[in-house]
Amino acid sequence: MDHASRVLPAVLATAIRQAPLTPEKIDFAWRAAGGAAIARVTQVTLAEGGVLKVQAQDPQWAKEVHRLRHDLVRQLEPWLGSGVVAKIEIAGGAARRPRRSPARQNQPRPG
C-alpha cells in the first residue's frame, strides 16, 4: 500500500497532463495546487500567453493568492505541464490603491 500511495499521484498527474487543456482541467489543477480553501474562494481562467487569471472573492484572499503566486505556478506544472502557466494575475475585492511616486510620498493625501 505504501508503494501505491507514492506512485499513484505521479501516474494521475501524468494522465491529467496528457489530457486536452479544458476549463475543467484548469479547475482541477488549481484545486490540486492551491487546496480546497483557495479553490472555494477563487475562479480561474487561462488567458493567452500562459496568464492564469484569478478572481478572488475578497481582498484578503486576493492578497493570499498574490503572496503564493510563484509557488502556485510551480505546483500547477505537474498537472498542466511546464510553461502552460507562466504567471498568475489576481483580481478581487476592493481595487488596489495606486502607489505614490517617491516625489509625492511626503505630500499629504487628499481627503
Side-chain angles (χ1 to χ4, degrees):
M1 185 70 168
D2 187 42
H3 177 70
S5 66
R6 288 188 309 242
V7 173
L8 192 55
V11 171
L12 181 60
T14 299
I16 290 172
R17 191 171 44 250
Q18 293 173 354
L21 195 58
T22 64
E24 293 80 13
K25 180 178 171 177
I26 301 295
D27 288 341
F28 178 87
W30 180 248
R31 178 176 287 277
I38 287 178
R40 193 171 34 254
V41 296
T42 57
Q43 293 181 330
V44 294
T45 55
L46 186 61
E48 290 185 32
V51 177
L52 187 68
K53 295 187 179 262
V54 179
Q55 179 67 43
Q57 284 184 357
D58 61 50
Q60 286 75 27
W61 279 109
K63 184 177 180 180
E64 184 67 15
V65 172
H66 183 267
R67 186 180 68 77
L68 294 170
R69 69 191 183 284
H70 299 295
D71 292 331
L72 290 166
V73 168
R74 282 191 296 275
Q75 292 168 5
L76 287 165
E77 284 186 6
W79 302 104
L80 301 176
S82 181
V84 173
V85 175
K87 72 177 190 172
I88 294 176
E89 289 182 358
I90 303 107
R96 287 188 182 173
R97 177 179 280 169
R99 288 190 165 191
R100 300 180 88 185
S101 68
R104 294 190 59 208
Q105 285 184 359
N106 293 330
Q107 296 177 0
R109 289 193 171 144

